[in-house]
């Protein structure tokens, strides 16, 4: 019997390590050594004699922000599905990160606010353990585990293009820092160079069709700052606050995360022309006036470590490689290079880990390597659809976002609203919804007839 979309997604998101792996490639090359590239390299190490990661930045030993990942100073939450994937691909990952200072706050230190009102918590443990840290710390741990694998090596340089042999990719060109252009032969190439990937240009220049790009303008503005954690000021471990004051009023979002090194990372965010600045006075005012008291107490009384750092993201975007009729064999695209979302939903790093699981499934399926990797792109499409659906449906509610609207939007939005309202009253539905927003399940589970009927019944019950 054909598998449903939800079942196919569940197979990708499994936390079971792969049972059997086979070496199919002599050398695989990964462009970009951040979350998606490192995860892809980990998977490829099971299937290639040798894996080479080409990364612009040269800072392997550092758990600090770096130029190639300019968003690295901002709050980064790891969703439970990403957490499960990290443990899937690196046994004992969570335990090691926690032992090194990442935080797993107890339930009483975790708070979620909507318009200043605390939302009910999912029962402790139902979504798994938390793993809270700064983004560079998490990436450092992924890098350390990846580069400890014997057949993975990293070289520093800027990837500059691909070489083709007929209908397949055959090599990568890259420019080592201060050196001559190098051409490196490959049996498989993964582009994991992030949101600004130039793969589409490289394909176009070599006469291949370019993937259509879908964009949703979100105009998101972030500002984050680190403070020394101090129990005399607050006990908060995770606090997420969202203010949606009313129709035509752009919401503001805030977050406090307890991170490694006994620090809090505090975020304030706005949309459109509502731009938090680098000014500490502005940061404190937003914390004090817009969010629950923990925010103001930390900003006003905590010791600031470093500066307030801002970041602007203009759009959510996806490149639809699965639509291309012609595409070279032995070429894979992963992470933000395929799709990047509104960061407030915390989906990017988790998506990167799930793309790695798609790559593993593809390489374990006895693939015809001299044909385009269509099974891979179909699976990645499922993961991108899941994240895109959750984030863009919510963003289409923002007053400054006016499309593009997907087909069937009105009905789907009515159904989502119905289930969301019922989820606040029914713990079972609440958990199902939380499993979707944390990418443990595909959103299609919430449109199953039995789920919608349960939500309708709650709506029709006399209050
Ligand atoms: C403000 C903000 C907040 C976010 N918050 C969250 C969050 O809470 N949770 C979450 O999961 N995600 C979050 N994200 C998304 C997350 O940062 C990305 O999804 C994730 O980093 C994607 O990883 P990646 O490896 O695909 O790309 P990137 O992390 O962007 O890395 C690309 C890598 O490629 C390298 N590179 C680029 N070009 C070349 C080249 N030509 N040659 C060699 N190397 C190259 C770069 O140096 C870099 O190492 C946030 C994003 C932003 C902007």
């Amino acid at each position: 019997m054909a598998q449903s979309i939800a079942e196919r997604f569940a197979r990708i998101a499994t936390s079971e390590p792969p049972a059997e792996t086979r070496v199919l490639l002599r050398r695989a090359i990964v462009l970009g050594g951040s979350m998606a590239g490192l995860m892809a390299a980990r998977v490829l190490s099971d299937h290639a004699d040798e894996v080479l990661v080409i990364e612009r930045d040269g800072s392997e030993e550092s758990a600090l922000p770096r130029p190639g990942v300019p968003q690295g100073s901002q709050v980064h939450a790891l969703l439970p599905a990403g957490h499960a994937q990290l443990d899937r691909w690196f046994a004992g990952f969570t335990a090691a990160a926690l032992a090194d200072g990442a935080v797993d706050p107890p339930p009483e230190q975790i708070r979620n606010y909507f318009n200043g009102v605390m939302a009910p918590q999912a029962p402790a443990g139902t979504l798994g353990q938390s793993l809270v840290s700064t983004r560079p710390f998490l990436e450092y741990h992924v890098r350390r585990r990846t580069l400890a694998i014997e057949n993975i090596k990293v070289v520093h340089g800027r990837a500059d293009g691909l070489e083709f042999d007929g209908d397949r990719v055959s090599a990568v060109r890259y420019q080592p820092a201060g050196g001559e252009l190098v051409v490196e032969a490959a049996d498989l190439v993964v582009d994991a160079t992030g949101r600004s990937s130039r793969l589409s240009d490289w394909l176009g220049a070599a006469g291949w069709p370019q993937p259509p790009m879908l964009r949703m303008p979100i105009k998101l503005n972030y500002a984050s700052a680190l403070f020394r954690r101090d129990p005399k000021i607050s006990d908060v471990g995770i606090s997420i606050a969202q203010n949606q004051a009313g129709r035509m009023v752009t919401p503001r979002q805030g977050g406090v995360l307890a991170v490694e090194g006994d620090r809090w990372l505090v975020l304030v965010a706005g949309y459109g022309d509502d731009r938090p600045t680098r000014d500490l006075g502005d940061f404190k005012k937003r914390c004090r006036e817009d969010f629950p008291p923990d925010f103001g107490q930390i900003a006003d009384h905590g010791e600031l470590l470093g500066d307030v750092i801002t970041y602007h993201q203009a759009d959510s975007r996806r490149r639809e490689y699965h639509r291309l009729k012609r595409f070279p064999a032995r070429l894979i695209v992963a992470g933000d290079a395929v799709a990047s979302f509104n960061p407030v939903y915390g989906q990017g790093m988790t998506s990167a880990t799930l793309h790695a699981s798609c790559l593993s499934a593809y390489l374990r399926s006895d693939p015809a390597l001299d044909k385009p990797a269509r099974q891979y792109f179909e699976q990645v499409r499922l993961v991108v659809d899941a994240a895109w659906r959750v984030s863009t449906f919510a963003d289409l509610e923002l007053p400054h976002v006016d499309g593009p609207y997907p087909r069937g939007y009105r009905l789907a939005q009515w159904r989502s609203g119905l289930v969301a309202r019922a989820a606040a009253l029914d713990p079972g539905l609440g958990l199902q919804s939380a499993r979707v927003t944390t990418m443990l399940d595909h959103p299609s589970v919430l449109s199953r007839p039995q789920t919608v009927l349960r939500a309708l019944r709650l709506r029709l019950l006399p209050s």
Side-chain angles (χ1 to χ4, degrees):
M1 208 170 72
Q3 283 186 326
S4 70
I5 289 177
E7 286 164 341
R8 284 168 56 209
F9 184 86
R11 283 174 71 104
I12 297 167
T14 176
S15 51
E16 290 295 312
E20 259 180 58
T21 55
R22 217 154 47 86
V23 173
L24 308 169
L25 309 160
R26 208 186 68 66
R27 178 199 269 165
I29 295 188
V30 180
L31 310 180
S34 180
M35 292 302 286
L38 293 167
M39 293 302 299
R42 160 64 191 90
V43 166
L44 286 165
S45 70
D46 287 340
H47 299 278
D49 290 332
E50 193 189 320
V51 182
L52 189 66
V53 178
I54 300 177
E55 165 56 46
R56 253 179 348 197
D57 285 346
S59 42
E60 268 99 81
E61 298 305 320
S62 163
L64 296 173
R66 58 190 179 87
V69 182
Q71 71 272 32
S73 300
Q74 304 297 330
V75 160
H76 270 65
L78 179 67
L79 300 181
H83 186 177
Q85 291 301 308
L86 288 177
D87 276 334
R88 177 185 194 202
W89 291 109
F90 302 105
F93 185 92
T94 302
L98 290 173
D100 198 30
V103 181
D104 175 21
E108 66 278 10
Q109 293 182 4
I110 303 177
R111 289 153 209 164
N112 251 307
Y113 297 90
F114 191 73
N115 282 344
V117 178
M118 189 140 73
Q121 297 285 346
T126 43
L127 296 174
Q129 212 175 1
S130 299
L131 178 58
V132 189
S133 72
T134 61
R135 156 65 196 255
F137 175 95
L138 188 70
E139 189 190 298
Y140 163 76
H141 276 265
V142 174
R143 188 166 51 238
R144 204 170 58 92
R145 291 293 299 268
T146 305
L147 299 186
I149 299 170
E150 214 176 315
N151 62 346
I152 302 180
K153 295 207 170 24
V154 64
V155 291
H156 295 298
R158 189 170 58 82
D160 198 42
L162 301 175
E163 308 239 318
F164 299 87
D165 177 4
D167 280 351
R168 58 160 288 195
V169 168
S170 58
V172 164
R173 290 193 301 274
Y174 80 96
Q175 183 86 53
E180 301 273 298
L181 196 72
V182 175
V183 176
E184 200 75 67
D187 297 323
L188 185 88
V189 173
V190 178
D191 173 32
T193 54
R195 214 176 125 79
S196 316
S197 159
R198 292 177 52 223
L199 177 61
S200 181
D201 298 339
W202 297 343
L203 289 173
W208 292 92
Q210 296 176 291
M213 164 112 84
L214 198 59
R215 291 175 197 254
M216 178 172 287
I218 52 164
K219 300 183 191 135
L220 176 71
N221 310 307
Y222 260 36
S224 293
L226 283 162
F227 293 86
R228 192 172 308 288
R229 198 172 167 194
D230 180 349
K232 291 199 285 303
I233 296 176
S234 166
D235 71 339
V236 70
I238 303 176
S239 181
I240 308 290
Q242 183 173 335
N243 290 346
Q244 196 144 24
R247 241 179 120 64
M248 302 316 289
V249 178
T250 305
R252 287 183 168 180
Q253 260 126 357
V256 177
L257 299 187
V259 297
E260 78 280 358
D262 259 331
R263 297 172 297 169
W264 281 301
L265 183 54
V266 181
L267 160 75
V268 297
Y271 286 102
D273 297 332
D274 181 25
R275 282 189 175 231
T277 66
R278 303 191 60 155
D279 175 63
L280 182 60
D282 173 55
F283 190 84
K284 286 184 175 183
K285 185 166 182 291
R286 284 173 182 262
C287 285
R288 216 168 28 237
E289 294 181 1
D290 293 341
F291 303 116
D294 286 326
F295 284 75
Q297 273 149 16
I298 293 170
D300 277 335
H301 305 297
E303 179 192 347
L304 177 72
L305 304 168
D307 295 319
V308 178
I309 298 179
T310 55
Y311 194 93
H312 173 74
Q313 183 170 313
D315 57 23
S316 295
R317 57 173 70 165
R318 61 187 287 184
R319 296 179 173 98
E320 306 207 286
Y321 284 100
H322 63 274
R323 286 195 194 282
L324 291 175
K325 296 268 184 296
R326 279 184 64 236
F327 190 73
R330 296 179 181 260
L331 181 57
I332 295 290
V333 194
D336 277 19
V338 183
S340 99
F341 314 95
N342 181 339
V344 302
Y345 309 104
Q347 299 164 318
M349 300 189 299
T350 293
S351 295
T353 65
L354 290 168
H355 295 180
S357 287
C358 296
L359 179 58
S360 166
Y362 167 66
L363 292 171
R364 284 183 289 116
S365 69
D366 198 16
L369 289 167
D370 283 323
K371 300 242 158 57
R374 296 206 185 279
Q375 303 105 291
Y376 168 79
F377 285 106
E378 275 307 319
Q379 295 221 22
V380 162
R381 174 193 182 178
L382 211 66
V383 175
V384 173
D385 279 350
W388 187 261
R389 155 109 200 210
V390 168
S391 64
T392 60
F393 266 52
D395 287 344
L396 282 167
E397 298 277 289
L398 297 171
H400 69 291
V401 176
D402 58 1
Y405 291 90
R407 218 172 335 132
Y409 170 73
R410 289 220 174 279
L411 174 64
Q413 189 64 337
W414 172 82
R415 208 169 36 210
S416 311
L418 179 77
V419 173
R421 280 189 297 279
L425 305 170
D426 175 333
L429 280 180
L431 182 58
Q432 272 186 40
S433 273
R435 287 185 58 85
V436 167
T437 47
T438 55
M439 294 189 78
L440 288 164
D441 286 332
H442 191 274
S444 58
V445 300
L446 296 179
S447 37
R448 285 175 177 155
Q450 64 268 36
T451 307
V452 177
L453 274 176
R454 187 162 153 183
L456 254 181
R457 244 181 265 129
L458 269 169
R459 165 108 180 250
L460 298 175
L461 276 179
S463 48

